[in-house]
Amino acid sequence: MMEGAAALFALAYSGLVLFVLASSLRKIYPPMRAALTAFVLSVVVHGASTLMAGEHATLALAFWGIPHLILLPLLLWSARQQSRVRP
């Protein structure tokens, strides 16, 4: 039961981080570049914190890495939708 709650928390946390960061970056970059920049920044920061996790590094990587990979297609799809010119 707790594993499912932890997985749901990890997915929600990653979604919040990625979409809020991409939304903030969209004010200075085009949508697709903002989405990719948000993903790269998040991976760098979380990767650095994973290096400090010691013996629990694999668990820490799974906690943020898998949700980031699940959300990346949604983030890119959202950026593509925002970059389309609407009549």
Side-chain angles (χ1 to χ4, degrees), residues 3 33 66 87:
E3 292 84 9
R33 184 171 177 193
I66 293 170

Side-chain angles (χ1 to χ4, degrees), residues 10-86:
L11 190 61
Y13 169 76
S14 293
L16 181 68
V17 166
L18 288 173
F19 282 93
V20 168
L21 186 56
S23 177
S24 297
L25 288 171
R26 199 168 50 103
K27 295 175 182 168
I28 57 174
Y29 295 130
M32 189 61 73
R33 184 171 177 193
L36 291 173
T37 303
F39 183 77
V40 168
L41 284 172
S42 183
V43 166
V44 167
V45 169
H46 285 96
S49 64
T50 299
L51 290 175
M52 293 183 265
E55 65 186 47
H56 301 292
T58 305
L59 182 60
L61 178 63
F63 188 74
W64 69 263
I66 293 170
H68 271 61
L69 291 177
I70 290 172
L71 291 169
L72 181 60
L74 295 172
L75 185 66
L76 295 176
W77 177 78
S78 176
R80 187 175 51 191
Q81 293 296 321
Q82 292 174 4
S83 64
R84 287 187 179 168
V85 178
R86 299 182 194 258

Side-chain angles (χ1 to χ4, degrees), residues 1-9:
M1 181 69 172
M2 288 302 290
E3 292 84 9
L8 187 59
F9 172 75

